[in-house]
């Protein structure tokens, strides 16, 4: 984002710079609010009338929802969390295109992605207690660059298939996101910083899982809900 703002500042047009700052703020607000629509909380609290955060790990994510409730509504959660991420990235790119910043569209996508993840993890409408961002983060990777998605999703699928630890695959996804971003956009520091912020948030949200993995008492994934 610094590259983008610097390029506008160098033009000397303060009106354009001001509009750009307002649009960046709009992208941040829209991305955050979209992120707040947490599929697991909405489905469990308002459809099943049984908040998922009162069960299992207490996390408002897909894994805990599936373990607790199972059933076809799991796909509603997937759709909700993936769609909001897609919309956030599309809106971020669209607004950057609106101000004529075609060469900064990737920054717009990462900027929107960061705030969508923040909304998902810390939703203001659900007492700032949300999910860990894996499904939304995976959708974001797909929207940004297929090569990024290949690394993030490929490692996630392989690790979960081999170990049945969703958390291990999730840590890979969060950890590989910024480094793959660095490889794809080595000369764009703003994108790299945003990539590290996005990936770092995901890894941070899994800190308790990392501790359990090290201690050897992390739960393994099963297609069957817990009784």
């Amino acid at each position: 984002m610094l590259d983008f703002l610097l390029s506008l500042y160098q033009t000397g047009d303060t009106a354009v710079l001001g509009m750009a700052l307002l649009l960046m703020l709009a992208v941040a607000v829209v991305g955050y609010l979209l992120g707040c629509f947490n599929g697991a909380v909405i489905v469990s609290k308002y459809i099943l009338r049984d908040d998922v955060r009162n069960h299992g790990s207490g996390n408002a994510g897909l894994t805990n929802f599936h373990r607790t409730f199972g059933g076809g509504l799991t796909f509603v959660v997937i759709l909700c969390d993936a769609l909001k991420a897609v919309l956030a990235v599309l809106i971020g790119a669209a607004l950057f295109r609106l101000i004529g910043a075609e060469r900064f569209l990737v920054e717009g996508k990462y900027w929107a992605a960061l705030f969508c993840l923040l909304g998902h993890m810390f939703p203001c409408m659900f007492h700032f207690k949300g999910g860990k961002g894996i499904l939304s983060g995976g959708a974001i990777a797909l929207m940004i660059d297929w090569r990024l998605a290949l690394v993030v999703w490929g490692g996630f699928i392989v690790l979960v298939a081999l170990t049945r630890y969703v958390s291990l695959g999730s840590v890979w996804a969060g950890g590989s996101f910024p480094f793959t971003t660095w490889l794809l956009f080595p000369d764009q520091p703003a994108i790299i910083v945003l990539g590290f912020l996005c990936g770092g948030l995901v890894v941070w949200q899994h800190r308790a899982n990392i501790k359990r993995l090290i201690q050897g008492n992390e739960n393994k994934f099963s297609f069957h809900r817990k009784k």
Side-chain angles (χ1 to χ4, degrees):
M1 308 310 294
L2 292 178
D3 296 339
F4 170 54
L5 293 175
L6 182 60
S7 69
L8 291 178
Y9 176 77
Q10 290 171 342
T11 66
D13 192 333
T14 55
V16 173
L17 179 59
M19 184 177 71
L21 288 170
L22 286 175
L23 285 173
M24 285 176 59
L25 177 61
V27 171
V29 171
V30 171
Y32 176 80
L33 291 177
L34 281 171
C36 286
F37 284 92
N38 185 291
V41 176
I42 291 171
V43 172
S44 65
K45 190 172 182 178
Y46 299 108
I47 297 179
L48 297 176
R49 303 292 181 180
D50 189 7
D51 196 327
V52 68
R53 293 169 298 178
N54 296 326
H55 300 275
S57 65
N59 178 250
L62 176 65
T63 301
N64 193 41
F65 182 92
H66 175 73
R67 284 173 174 163
T68 303
F69 302 110
L73 287 176
T74 298
F75 295 101
V76 178
V77 175
I78 292 173
L79 181 62
C80 181
D81 287 350
L83 183 59
K84 72 184 182 187
V86 170
L87 286 174
V89 172
L90 286 176
I91 290 171
L95 289 180
F96 268 61
R97 185 177 286 111
L98 181 65
I99 59 175
E102 291 284 343
R103 66 193 181 98
F104 293 103
L105 290 185
V106 177
E107 279 95 331
K109 291 179 178 181
Y110 273 90
W111 182 251
L114 173 61
F115 286 92
C116 182
L117 287 175
L118 285 170
H120 178 78
M121 296 173 181
F122 311 106
C124 60
M125 60 188 69
F126 297 126
H127 309 291
F128 300 98
K129 188 178 179 182
K132 298 181 180 179
I134 286 302
L135 186 57
S136 295
I140 285 167
L142 283 168
M143 294 298 295
I144 290 175
D145 192 297
W146 69 268
R147 296 167 294 179
L148 176 62
L150 182 63
V151 173
V152 168
W153 278 108
F156 175 88
I157 292 170
V158 169
L159 285 171
V160 174
L162 291 176
T163 68
R164 287 174 50 213
Y165 287 123
V166 173
S167 56
L168 184 60
S170 300
V171 172
W172 162 267
S176 64
F177 189 96
F179 291 101
T180 307
T181 294
W182 195 348
L183 290 174
L184 293 174
F185 309 102
D187 301 321
Q188 301 186 56
I191 291 178
I192 294 171
V193 170
L194 289 170
F196 270 89
L197 289 173
C198 290
L201 279 170
V202 172
V203 174
W204 173 256
Q205 287 293 90
H206 286 83
R207 60 195 182 279
N209 302 90
I210 294 172
K211 182 178 180 180
R212 288 194 295 270
L213 283 167
I214 293 172
Q215 295 174 340
N217 55 12
E218 175 70 326
N219 292 322
K220 290 189 175 184
F221 178 78
S222 171
F223 284 103
H224 304 289
R225 59 173 288 193
K226 287 188 175 181
K227 302 296 185 182

